[in-house]
Amino acid sequence: MGWEEKAAKAKKGHRPSLKNWERDGLYEKFPPFAEFLLSPSTNPYSSLKIDSRTGRAEERSWSLERARQKRAMSPPTSKLQAMQLDNDGSSEEATPMYPIVLDAKDTPPEVFHEQYEAKVIPCVIRNVPYGDSSSTSGNRTTFDEEKKDCDDNTAISPSRIQKEWPAVHRWSLDKLINDPDLSERGFKCGEDDDGYTIRMKLRYFIEYLQHNKDDSPLYIFDATFDEDKFAKRLLEDYTVPDYFSEDLFGLIGESKRPPYRWFLVGPCRSGTTVHIDPLGTSAWNTLLFGVKRWVLFPPHVPKSVVKGRKLILPGEDDEAIHYFTTILPRIKRRAATSGGKGDYSNFECYEFTQYPGETVFVPHGWWHAVMNVTHTVGVTQNYCSKRNFDEVWLQTRSGRKKMACSWLRKLQEHYPDLARRAKALNRRDRFVMWEDDPEAQRRYRKKKADKERKKREKREQKEKERARKKEKWGDHRTTERRKESHS
């Protein structure tokens, strides 16, 4: 069975109701859109903000150089501090130019923690995989050039330096497809309707990546690459940046904590739909190969606006590529004509293009979606630090009740100040921990038993259906054999 059969089986399991994965013809329609994004005349950063007082829409775009100049200014912590002097000396109530562009060469972790992470400001940090290196080779000029790089498996990389990630040289497509540790290993590229993982061997997936014409292709988003000795090699290929090394969920242990790190291999046109990262965590995403397009919405923008559900027509898909090419432009047009009223009051939206060697920091609570403009390879992790502890604790104590009890005990041992903070939040909200609430335990056991019963019934139903089909097929073949023997 070759890659085509493997991909067809994976697609059928992942989206069984979608009969034609090429129905919208985006394989043919997407290149002009991608070429526009990668054109040297297109600024990689843009924003749209609606002033709720005047209803005026302010749309801006800016270059990487302009973003780096803005970084030199102290990030605003209030609307009053957003009054800045522009380069021409004129006073303007400036739309924040997010994400802030930093460079790992001259941004100490403590500066990032105090000025950006603690203030919930999204950032792009350049040169993280290259350690203390000099600059990269820069942005690509056209879609054809960038696509050629991806097809030729030539990642953008600087000269070799100390502390450089091995992934800089190992995570190009030709290296991965021939990697003896990884090519035969199955990686998660989807889920079926029952939540079971769908996997493909990496060598089959890369062949699919290079040849598919699907509107929204399958996407390797694998969190289990540390579960066997072969794929665990990926952990040797990168190092968690110092900016994000504080990981309080690590106290719980690898087996008990929620999924938090993912190895990513994305075909052109694949991506993730708009979402907020779970349990109040923040995230970092480092790109080693290819180009991604991002959109960010601040936490105050309503979910109904961000999702654009009222703007999706019957029969339209809402995958990442549809979101970026169709739904997001509708959201922006509706916001621009809203007059700053209703759900579009104080609307803000920030788009940008991520290139190899850049690490995106997404603060907790920020909506974001990502689309792969070309084939891409990268890594991402969610984490909890002291700067976002309050939000993570509030969501974890109710979303992961049993785990929160274990976490609190570990915090008392290793971070008593944070344990006191967690208990203070519980007293403020009159929240009762799971292990102190017999009624909550009873509801949990009942919910778990009901879930197991439904899964068992569904499994039994599938087994009966398979047995029925097998029996029917067996009778049919027996009849045919009898006819052939009599002829």
Side-chain angles (χ1 to χ4, degrees):
M1 185 182 291
W3 72 265
E4 292 172 304
E5 291 80 7
K6 295 285 187 180
K9 183 178 179 181
K11 290 192 291 186
K12 184 177 180 181
H14 182 56
R15 296 189 69 185
S17 61
L18 183 60
K19 304 305 180 184
N20 182 8
W21 282 55
E22 304 174 16
R23 66 177 190 178
D24 295 328
L26 293 177
Y27 173 78
E28 300 290 343
K29 298 175 183 178
F30 183 69
F33 180 77
E35 186 170 2
F36 169 77
L37 293 178
L38 294 167
S39 169
S41 61
T42 301
N43 286 328
Y45 301 88
S46 64
S47 67
L48 174 64
K49 180 178 179 181
I50 309 301
D51 190 320
S52 61
R53 294 173 300 170
T54 64
R56 182 172 60 91
E58 182 183 8
E59 192 165 7
R60 305 176 69 187
S61 66
W62 58 97
S63 65
L64 173 62
E65 290 71 22
R66 175 66 169 151
R68 296 178 72 180
Q69 291 172 6
K70 276 290 185 180
R71 178 252 165 159
M73 302 181 182
S74 299
T77 57
S78 69
K79 288 187 177 181
L80 289 177
Q81 287 176 297
M83 294 293 293
Q84 299 172 339
L85 286 177
D86 208 352
N87 282 356
D88 61 2
S90 61
S91 177
E92 65 171 1
E93 186 174 354
T95 299
M97 297 174 72
Y98 297 150
I100 302 297
V101 178
L102 309 174
D103 198 308
K105 295 181 297 181
D106 56 17
T107 306
E110 55 271 18
V111 171
F112 169 78
H113 294 156
E114 294 175 8
Q115 295 191 14
Y116 303 101
E117 185 188 9
K119 297 177 182 178
V120 200
I121 294 175
C123 301
V124 171
I125 309 174
R126 308 184 76 222
N127 296 318
V128 165
Y130 311 135
D132 301 323
S133 84
S134 56
S135 63
T136 65
S137 57
N139 294 358
R140 293 308 183 196
T141 55
T142 68
F143 171 72
D144 289 336
E145 289 179 21
E146 186 57 52
K147 187 175 185 297
K148 183 177 186 300
D149 278 343
C150 291
D151 291 343
D152 292 345
N153 306 302
T154 304
I156 303 172
S157 63
S159 59
R160 293 187 62 85
I161 48 97
Q162 291 183 341
K163 299 181 182 179
E164 184 180 66
W165 290 6
V168 170
H169 304 282
R170 290 178 175 176
W171 288 14
S172 59
L173 295 180
D174 65 332
K175 295 291 180 60
L176 289 172
I177 199 171
N178 293 302
D179 192 306
D181 292 332
L182 304 176
S183 62
E184 294 295 325
R185 203 265 194 183
F187 288 88
K188 179 179 178 179
C189 60
E191 289 184 349
D192 64 17
D193 289 344
D194 297 324
Y196 291 104
T197 295
I198 296 172
R199 296 181 180 274
M200 283 180 65
K201 287 184 178 180
L202 186 59
R203 66 181 179 93
Y204 287 133
F205 186 86
I206 292 178
E207 288 190 72
Y208 162 75
L209 169 149
Q210 293 171 330
H211 297 98
N212 85 90
K213 296 184 179 181
D214 297 337
D215 295 329
S216 178
L218 295 168
Y219 188 4
I220 284 183
F221 216 96
D222 192 285
T224 61
F225 56 86
D226 60 343
E227 292 184 355
D228 60 75
K229 64 179 181 179
F230 297 108
K232 199 169 186 177
R233 210 287 315 285
L234 290 170
L235 294 175
E236 303 172 3
D237 289 350
Y238 75 96
T239 304
V240 175
D242 290 340
Y243 304 107
F244 318 110
S245 58
E246 185 178 62
D247 181 13
L248 297 175
F249 271 154
L251 296 172
I252 305 170
E254 292 295 322
S255 61
K256 295 182 179 180
R257 66 180 301 172
Y260 71 103
R261 59 186 174 200
W262 293 267
F263 173 59
L264 314 175
V265 182
C268 173
R269 302 182 305 281
S270 63
T272 53
T273 56
V274 66
H275 65 283
I276 293 176
D277 287 326
L279 299 179
T281 56
S282 299
W284 60 269
N285 183 306
T286 298
L287 186 61
L288 277 301
F289 181 90
V291 178
K292 294 176 181 282
R293 184 68 172 175
W294 289 70
V295 62
L296 302 174
F297 300 87
H300 68 262
V301 180
K303 179 179 180 179
S304 59
V305 171
V306 168
K307 293 287 188 178
R309 287 173 178 160
K310 296 181 180 178
L311 304 177
I312 301 175
L313 303 179
E316 285 188 327
D317 213 335
D318 61 351
E319 294 292 302
I321 186 169
H322 300 89
Y323 188 85
F324 277 89
T325 59
T326 304
I327 301 169
L328 180 58
R330 291 175 185 167
I331 294 172
K332 292 166 66 177
R333 286 195 296 270
R334 178 64 61 86
T337 58
S338 67
K341 298 178 181 178
D343 288 341
Y344 292 91
S345 176
N346 291 318
F347 176 89
E348 294 177 43
C349 171
Y350 303 93
E351 296 177 77
F352 65 97
T353 303
Q354 180 190 18
Y355 286 87
E358 295 183 338
T359 298
V360 176
F361 164 65
V362 182
H364 65 89
W366 278 71
W367 294 95
H368 54 285
V370 190
M371 178 186 64
N372 293 310
V373 182
T374 68
H375 306 324
T376 65
V377 183
V379 62
T380 185
Q381 291 195 186
N382 288 23
Y383 72 99
C384 169
S385 72
K386 293 178 182 178
R387 269 77 59 189
N388 65 334
F389 174 76
D390 282 15
E391 186 63 30
V392 173
W393 176 254
L394 293 176
Q395 294 194 34
T396 301
R397 71 184 185 184
S398 56
R400 295 283 185 126
K401 297 179 180 180
K402 292 181 68 177
M403 188 189 81
C405 297
S406 301
W407 192 27
L408 183 57
R409 287 192 290 271
K410 291 292 184 179
L411 289 170
Q412 288 173 334
E413 181 180 352
H414 298 280
Y415 296 91
D417 55 330
L418 293 180
R420 287 192 294 270
R421 176 61 182 164
K423 292 177 180 179
L425 291 171
N426 288 351
R427 288 193 298 271
R428 182 197 70 183
D429 302 333
R430 297 181 179 179
F431 184 86
V432 180
M433 295 294 288
W434 183 83
E435 60 187 11
D436 299 323
D437 188 347
E439 180 60 24
Q441 296 178 35
R442 186 193 65 79
R443 291 195 302 267
Y444 170 81
R445 288 192 292 268
K446 183 178 184 303
K447 184 178 180 180
K448 185 177 181 180
D450 290 343
K451 186 177 181 180
E452 290 294 329
R453 176 180 53 79
K454 290 179 181 179
K455 287 177 65 175
R456 184 172 60 253
E457 291 175 352
K458 196 167 187 176
R459 187 165 56 249
E460 291 173 353
Q461 182 63 31
K462 283 187 175 182
E463 290 175 355
K464 289 180 181 179
E465 183 66 18
R466 281 196 295 267
R468 186 188 66 79
K469 288 182 178 180
K470 184 177 180 181
E471 182 180 0
K472 183 178 180 181
W473 177 248
D475 291 341
H476 173 66
R477 294 298 296 155
T478 300
T479 303
E480 281 190 352
R481 287 195 294 268
R482 285 175 179 172
K483 287 182 179 180
E484 289 171 358
S485 64
H486 285 89
S487 60

